[in-house]
Amino acid sequence: MNTGGVVLVALAIAIGLVGMLVPLLPGTLLVYAAIAVWSVVESSTVSWTVLVVVTVLLGSGQLIKYLWPVRRMRAADVSGGSLAAGGVLGIIGFFVIPVVGLVIGFVAGVYLAELLARRDRRRAWAATVHAVKGVMLSVGVELGAGLLATAVWVAGVVMG
């Protein structure tokens, strides 16, 4: 692949990494697709090895991204309904107050749902804090996997 192609792949990966922080962009999918296109175009042993390693990294990241935070939130007794309410209000908030409305809406949605369920402000707030920590953990796991995949790709470009 020529230099221009590698730069385009790097740009797509960078957009994918940003997408891992901005939930409305398919971050992991963009990173994976960019590396897969590079692998197909290069069609070498190194590029196919990179694709296999990246597949394992990103696949594991997706699995851990959902299992680890959910387990922690269940231990903290945060309900799935509260998370759904937070998600809905987060999406609404994103359009009402661009970008920061997503966070504000999520926190408000989880808190209100927990307050309705628990009828105790302290317990509702504690559950909300656990939910926010869970979301941050999820984003961190996904971003970590994306950065590792990017490092593997860079190593493949250098070696190839």
Side-chain angles (χ1 to χ4, degrees), residues 12-153:
I13 291 171
I15 292 169
L17 292 173
V18 169
M20 292 175 184
L21 299 172
V22 180
L24 297 177
L25 291 175
T28 300
L29 182 61
L30 284 171
V31 170
Y32 186 75
I35 294 172
V37 165
W38 171 82
S39 295
V40 168
V41 170
E42 284 293 309
S43 195
S44 68
T45 303
V46 170
S47 70
W48 293 120
T49 303
V50 165
L51 185 60
V52 168
V53 172
V54 164
T55 301
V56 170
L57 285 171
L58 293 177
S60 299
Q62 288 297 297
L63 185 64
I64 294 168
K65 165 188 164 175
Y66 290 109
L67 295 180
W68 189 14
V70 167
R71 196 179 100 196
R72 289 179 55 135
M73 283 187 269
R74 283 191 183 143
D77 201 28
V78 179
S79 74
S82 295
L83 295 175
V88 169
L89 281 183
I91 291 169
I92 293 169
F94 181 81
F95 291 106
V96 173
I97 309 168
V99 183
V100 296
L102 181 68
V103 175
I104 293 168
F106 177 78
V107 171
V110 171
Y111 178 74
L112 291 173
E114 287 292 324
L115 186 60
L116 285 171
R118 297 172 187 269
R119 307 264 188 237
D120 180 356
R121 285 189 293 224
R122 283 186 181 187
R123 290 180 64 207
W125 183 247
T128 302
V129 168
H130 280 291
V132 170
K133 285 179 182 178
V135 168
M136 289 173 33
L137 178 60
S138 178
V139 169
V141 166
E142 183 178 19
L143 184 60
L147 290 170
L148 285 172
T150 302
V152 169
W153 173 74

